[in-house]
Amino acid sequence: MTAQNEISSVNDFTRESTRGPNFATARYIDASSAGLVGDGRTNNTAVLQSLLGSGDRTIHIPAGDYVTDAFEIPPNTALLLDSGVILRDSGHLGPEQRLVNIETANVYISGYGAKVLGDRDAYPPGEQRHGVLIWGAKNVVIQGLESSENAGDGFYIGGPTGQPADNILLDGCLASENRRQGLSITSARNVDVVDSQFQSTHGTAPQFGIDLEPNTPDDFLDHILILRPSTLENVGGGIAIYLENLTANSYPIDIEILEHLSQSESPPLATLGSPYVPGTIQYTKASTVPPPQSSAQP
């Protein structure tokens, strides 16, 4: 498939995804009367986890500032977040805890104008308190969501050995003012990152907008498409592809970064690793500067 045909295919896929999840749920819940308190102070962890239950639910959450500890999203869950929803870090995450955890199959989040908001200043130096963790999960769609001010990464996509995240879409997302990375991808297959912005990363190296960096020789970077990304004012640079943990015997990489816009950072693209790592990398720059990103639904 040519790059242009693949872009067309991904555009069609993202348009289809805006219509809703590609899986059914057994129950619809309007959380407006479920006991959530969006005052920016009350801890909502117990209520939120009760709302999510064991999954198989579509949950609508109205605008509000909801403080929470770490929580997990169960399988077959669709979260419909109104514009103005803030899922705010309580400031009580442990050194290895992440705020929003997706480690299962079939999760859909519509979050245009909504935020996952960390509390990076509440934590000592460190890099693992991510905003959104997608770990060994399958069939995950996140649209329009911001994940910012986390004491780790805004978004992290990976998985344990032999279980890469698979079939993941980030569409129209934003990551800003995170400590380590806007987005890390360490082990994944069939990932599309479309029309998303990663900016102002600072605090803990490598401080890139996007970092593609396997942790072991058995990790995957297979069919990773990053389409029309915007990276801005990240201290380390725009996009890093660090492959030093892969070997000639690793699964072949397949990475496409197309129409990348990098502003006020250096370098726009950094690569590191053995020339014997099998596979391909394709990279193109944006030909024009797009208008500022809006969090309104297209």
Side-chain angles (χ1 to χ4, degrees), residues 156 180-181 184-187 206 211-216 219 221 240-245:
Y156 185 107
R180 188 180 70 166
Q181 244 79 258
S184 289
I185 303 177
T186 58
S187 187
D211 182 23
L212 308 179
E213 186 174 356
N215 292 316
T216 77
D219 286 338
L221 290 177
I241 305 175
Y242 288 166
L243 306 177
E244 63 267 35
N245 289 325

Side-chain angles (χ1 to χ4, degrees), residues 130 132-135 153-159 180 183-184 186 215:
H130 311 317
V132 179
L133 173 71
I134 301 170
W135 184 253
D153 302 344
F155 299 90
Y156 185 107
I157 302 172
R180 188 180 70 166
L183 165 66
S184 289
T186 58
N215 292 316

Side-chain angles (χ1 to χ4, degrees), residues 154-167:
F155 299 90
Y156 185 107
I157 302 172
T161 301
Q163 190 185 338
D166 191 4
N167 193 20

